[in-house]
Amino acid sequence: MDTRTQKYFDQNAETFDSIYHDGQPIARAINRWLRKAIYERFAITFEKSEPLAGKTVLDVGCGSGRYSVEFAKRGAARVLGVDLSLIH
């Protein structure tokens, strides 16, 4: 990955991940309204992945690991998240 791309993802990862945090009520409402597709994709991913019990999951491009953590919470036996923006 070239350094400009790595720098962009390193600088913006926290901002992107904040979309999923509960945060302030106004920010949460704005995110749910303007970024509805992100929440729908999250729900669909786990709906289509069930049942997870006993499965191994590879989360490529995991960012902060939001999906990886959720896979583990939902019963995946093993979860590995890989993201190039976190490699220095």
Side-chain angles (χ1 to χ4, degrees), residues 7-28:
K7 185 177 178 181
Y8 172 82
F9 283 110
D10 288 346
Q11 289 176 340
N12 292 290
E14 187 175 325
T15 301
F16 181 78
D17 193 52
S18 71
I19 293 168
Y20 293 99
H21 295 289
D22 291 332
Q24 299 297 322
I26 293 173
R28 185 173 58 242

Side-chain angles (χ1 to χ4, degrees), residues 43-53 55 70-71 73-75:
I44 290 168
T45 296
F46 293 99
E47 177 186 316
K48 298 293 184 182
S49 298
E50 293 293 339
L52 285 165
K55 290 185 179 176
E70 191 65 24
F71 278 118
K73 284 181 180 179
R74 292 180 184 230

Side-chain angles (χ1 to χ4, degrees), residues 2-88:
D2 73 57
T3 57
R4 291 178 301 160
T5 303
Q6 181 176 347
K7 185 177 178 181
Y8 172 82
F9 283 110
D10 288 346
Q11 289 176 340
N12 292 290
E14 187 175 325
T15 301
F16 181 78
D17 193 52
S18 71
I19 293 168
Y20 293 99
H21 295 289
D22 291 332
Q24 299 297 322
I26 293 173
R28 185 173 58 242
I30 290 170
N31 278 333
R32 292 214 179 255
W33 179 56
L34 294 176
R35 298 181 170 104
K36 185 178 178 180
I38 289 174
Y39 292 96
E40 289 174 349
R41 182 178 65 215
F42 189 83
I44 290 168
T45 296
F46 293 99
E47 177 186 316
K48 298 293 184 182
S49 298
E50 293 293 339
L52 285 165
K55 290 185 179 176
T56 298
V57 177
L58 173 61
D59 185 1
V60 178
C62 68
S64 66
R66 169 92 30 210
Y67 281 63
S68 297
V69 170
E70 191 65 24
F71 278 118
K73 284 181 180 179
R74 292 180 184 230
R78 185 173 178 178
V79 180
L80 175 63
V82 179
D83 195 292
L84 293 175
S85 68
L86 300 175
I87 297 173
H88 296 281

